[in-house]
Amino acid sequence: MDFPIYTSLLSTAKSKGACYFVLIDPDKIAAEKLPSFVEQAAEAGADAFLIGGSLIVDDSFERSIKTIKLHTNVPAVIFPGGLMQISKEADALLFLSIISGRNPEHLIGSQVLAAPIVKKIGLEAISTAYMLIESGKTTSAEFMSNTRPLPRHKPDIAVAHALAAEILGFKLIYLEAGSGAEQSVPEEMIGAVAKYCSVPLIVGGGLKTPEDARKKVLAGAKFIVTGTVLEKNGSSNLIKEFASAIHTS
Ligand code: 1GP
């Protein structure tokens, strides 16, 4: 099986130091604003769009992917909040398993239901070990997945989970504080996981400034995700600032 999007994102991360992923939750952006937002984000340095949400309450999911594809050449990658979020319109899908939790539905149940669909539509599925990290208040991801996050000041526990993910053959590890998190994933944890585990790391949740994002890259993240901060202020300047903080080389 080929993984063209995964391969190209890894090579972008290698040449730029790290990649910038802009998260689009179709529930949080008005349909009429999406075309200009994605054009502006692509121009300002986004390396991929992630599309998804813990709770999408209308039918805007597939329409949003089509809009992104129509208006930019930047890869559109599904970051599914649930089984309904699969579409052949996307370039790839993060095939997530919530390995920080002990909820069988999110470890393997949903994946078994999704796999035949993904195979049938020929979507590139990038196996991703998703680890929720304690971040202050209960996040939507924590509540909706009915899982307990990993303790934020126990990097050794995160490392053990990451090593299990590596041995199991996951292609990416996502260290997630949760959308709108009060506190982002600690650099100490990112550094420990990056030191002991060779699987490329995505870090997201609660990143409020370009400086925050850069610290995560310097700690060892290869992919940085922002969502909420751009929902509040999606200006081209701020996206550029994030992109240049993340693109360290
Ligand atoms: C959530 O990591 C992403 O899954 C992004 O989080 O919305 O807090 O940027 P924010």
Side-chain angles (χ1 to χ4, degrees):
M1 200 188 272
D2 286 339
F3 292 92
I5 296 293
Y6 176 68
T7 308
S8 104
L9 291 174
L10 284 185
S11 103
T12 306
K14 198 170 176 196
S15 64
K16 294 185 175 177
C19 285
Y20 183 25
F21 291 171
V22 169
L23 173 64
I24 293 176
D25 181 338
D27 255 0
K28 308 259 175 73
I29 180 162
E32 64 275 15
K33 289 194 176 152
L34 190 57
S36 60
F37 176 74
V38 295
E39 280 171 10
Q40 184 177 297
E43 172 75 26
D47 299 300
F49 291 106
L50 296 188
I51 307 109
S54 297
L55 191 69
I56 294 179
V57 294
D58 67 15
D59 63 348
S60 54
F61 176 69
E62 195 157 70
R63 209 174 48 228
S64 302
I65 299 172
K66 285 186 185 164
T67 302
I68 295 169
K69 297 300 301 166
L70 196 64
H71 290 270
T72 77
N73 292 320
V74 171
V77 179
I78 298 172
F79 171 42
L83 263 175
M84 305 300 288
Q85 295 171 29
I86 299 175
S87 165
K88 62 177 179 347
E89 302 296 332
D91 295 303
L93 160 80
L94 297 184
F95 200 78
L96 304 172
S97 175
I98 307 185
I99 68 156
S100 50
R102 299 295 181 268
N103 180 346
E105 188 191 334
H106 292 298
L107 278 166
I108 186 65
S110 299
Q111 294 76 357
V112 169
L113 297 174
I117 304 167
V118 168
K119 185 84 179 169
K120 188 170 177 194
I121 63 177
L123 186 59
E124 177 178 336
I126 306 168
S127 61
T128 304
Y130 188 72
M131 292 165 55
L132 267 175
I133 314 298
E134 224 175 42
S135 60
K137 285 195 209 122
T138 306
T139 59
S140 299
E142 177 186 344
F143 183 81
M144 296 305 289
S145 65
N146 198 15
T147 64
R148 224 172 129 187
L150 298 184
R152 61 183 286 109
H153 296 301
K154 300 279 184 191
D156 53 336
I157 295 181
V159 169
H161 280 73
L163 288 174
E166 179 176 86
I167 294 166
L168 285 164
F170 282 91
K171 291 191 151 53
L172 293 171
I173 291 175
Y174 195 138
L175 295 178
E176 167 76 281
S179 194
E182 277 183 349
Q183 297 169 288
S184 57
V185 178
E187 283 93 64
E188 189 196 3
M189 181 179 281
I190 299 166
V193 172
K195 179 172 174 195
Y196 291 106
C197 171
S198 62
V199 181
L201 297 182
I202 307 178
V203 172
L207 298 176
K208 297 176 183 79
T209 66
E211 295 71 34
D212 286 345
R214 191 175 183 92
K215 282 185 199 158
K216 310 303 170 191
V217 174
L218 297 177
K222 289 284 165 237
F223 305 96
I224 296 290
V225 185
T226 67
T228 306
V229 72
L230 299 185
E231 285 157 15
K232 291 180 180 158
N233 165 17
S235 77
S236 183
N237 274 350
L238 185 60
I239 303 172
K240 270 186 199 147
E241 283 174 31
F242 267 104
S244 69
I246 290 162
H247 297 148
T248 52
S249 55

